[in-house]
């Protein structure tokens, strides 16, 4: 199977996952109102844990995200370590996390640089998406992972980073953002290199009110 066909399948899997999760959010909104999101990790569906080739995974990410990033006359840089060969993780959801962050960087960066920097943190791997775009103020940073939050009403559903936040939580990881207006943004995700299948989703009850 050639790389173009692999990339097409990968992109379709990400889009299918986003559509599936959006339907869940839409149904929650219909039943409870758009500002209330019930805190069940089932919103990001169950994980499929497998061992996969780390470098091949990054090659797929690069091939999928590069055209979107270069569309705004940006340069795409990947900085990766040489000491990670395989990950045991849900590669479809990892791809979804990275593509959501990279597409967000591409949207708000023009004539600049978008960097995906990967670091080995012992039993964790860190993915940093750094851009030289328009940046965010403090209020936007507080709400950036909230469902349906968007800084541009004409683009997207406002779910991409919210979905990424939930998936990272399901993977026992952390996601953070640091940004300054007119100085770009720095998104960081830390995930275990190896996830045991028994650490899959747990049911959580309760509701969280999201204020924008």
């Amino acid at each position: 199977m050639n790389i173009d066909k692999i990339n097409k399948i990968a992109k379709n899997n990400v889009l299918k996952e986003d559509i599936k999760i959006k339907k869940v959010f839409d149904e929650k909104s219909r039943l409870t109102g758009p500002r209330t999101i019930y805190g069940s990790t089932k919103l990001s569906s169950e994980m499929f844990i497998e061992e996969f080739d780390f470098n091949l995974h990054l090659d797929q990410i690069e091939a999928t995200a590069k055209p979107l990033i270069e569309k705004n006359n940006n340069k795409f840089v990947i900085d990766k370590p040489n000491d990670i060969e395989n990950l045991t993780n849900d590669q479809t959801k990892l791809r979804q996390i990275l593509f959501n962050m990279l597409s967000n960087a591409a949207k708000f960066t023009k004539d600049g640089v978008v960097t995906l920097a990967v670091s080995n943190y012992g039993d964790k791997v860190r993915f940093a998406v750094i851009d030289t775009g328009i940046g965010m103020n403090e209020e936007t940073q507080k709400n950036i992972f909230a469902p349906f939050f968007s800084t541009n009403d004409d683009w997207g559903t406002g779910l991409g980073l919210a979905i990424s936040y939930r998936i990272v939580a399901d993977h026992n990881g952390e996601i953070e953002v640091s940004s300054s207006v007119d100085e770009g943004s720095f998104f960081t995700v830390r995930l275990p290199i190896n996830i045991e299948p028994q650490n899959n989703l747990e049911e959580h009850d309760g509701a969280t009110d999201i204020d924008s």
Side-chain angles (χ1 to χ4, degrees), residues 2-38:
N2 62 41
I3 188 68
D4 290 337
K5 190 168 184 180
I6 292 174
N7 291 331
K8 185 175 181 181
I9 293 171
K11 190 171 184 179
N12 286 339
N13 285 340
V14 170
L15 292 174
K16 287 178 182 177
E17 189 71 15
D18 274 343
I19 291 170
K20 181 179 9 175
I21 297 169
K22 183 180 183 301
K23 287 180 179 178
V24 175
F25 274 113
D26 287 345
E27 180 64 12
K28 290 292 185 182
S29 297
R30 185 182 70 81
L31 295 173
T32 66
R35 307 311 304 167
T36 302
I37 303 298
Y38 279 79

Side-chain angles (χ1 to χ4, degrees), residues 4-211:
D4 290 337
K5 190 168 184 180
I6 292 174
N7 291 331
K8 185 175 181 181
I9 293 171
K11 190 171 184 179
N12 286 339
N13 285 340
V14 170
L15 292 174
K16 287 178 182 177
E17 189 71 15
D18 274 343
I19 291 170
K20 181 179 9 175
I21 297 169
K22 183 180 183 301
K23 287 180 179 178
V24 175
F25 274 113
D26 287 345
E27 180 64 12
K28 290 292 185 182
S29 297
R30 185 182 70 81
L31 295 173
T32 66
R35 307 311 304 167
T36 302
I37 303 298
Y38 279 79
S40 169
T41 54
K42 292 292 184 183
L43 288 175
S44 52
S45 75
E46 293 185 1
M47 294 186 289
F48 179 72
I49 304 301
E50 59 182 335
E51 186 177 8
F52 57 90
D53 187 302
F54 177 67
N55 289 301
L56 177 59
H57 188 82
L58 288 184
D59 289 344
Q60 295 170 2
I61 292 292
E62 179 179 14
T64 305
K66 190 174 182 179
L68 182 64
I69 292 170
E70 292 183 342
K71 184 178 180 180
N72 281 339
N73 199 34
N74 296 310
K75 181 181 179 181
F76 185 27
V77 176
I78 294 183
D79 182 10
K80 60 183 180 181
N82 296 319
D83 55 351
I84 300 179
E85 295 183 358
N86 296 306
L87 294 181
T88 302
N89 210 308
D90 186 323
Q91 63 173 321
T92 298
K93 286 188 168 57
L94 176 57
R95 185 183 297 114
Q96 186 178 11
I97 293 167
L98 296 179
F99 185 77
N100 282 342
M101 293 196 301
L102 288 168
S103 62
N104 192 70
K107 177 173 63 170
F108 294 109
T109 305
K110 293 183 179 180
D111 302 313
V113 180
V114 175
T115 302
L116 173 59
V118 187
S119 305
N120 188 338
Y121 269 51
D123 62 346
K124 291 188 177 182
V125 57
R126 188 189 79 159
F127 299 92
V129 174
I130 309 153
D131 67 66
T132 59
I134 62 175
M136 295 178 282
N137 58 31
E138 290 187 7
E139 187 65 24
T140 299
Q141 292 179 62
K142 290 178 182 178
N143 292 282
I144 196 66
F145 298 116
F148 306 109
F149 178 81
S150 176
T151 58
N152 185 344
D153 292 336
D154 296 326
W155 196 98
T157 62
L159 283 176
L161 291 176
I163 291 169
S164 295
Y165 184 92
R166 175 54 66 188
I167 295 173
V168 170
D170 289 346
H171 281 69
N172 299 318
E174 303 93 32
I175 183 169
E176 300 170 342
V177 60
S178 175
S179 183
S180 297
V181 175
D182 297 326
E183 295 183 9
S185 299
F186 191 119
F187 284 85
T188 304
V189 169
R190 288 180 295 273
L191 296 169
I193 291 177
N194 298 303
I195 294 181
E196 296 295 332
Q198 62 264 31
N199 290 338
N200 281 0
L201 301 175
E202 295 178 359
E203 196 73 49
H204 295 283
D205 297 321
T208 302
D209 292 328
I210 306 297
D211 297 321

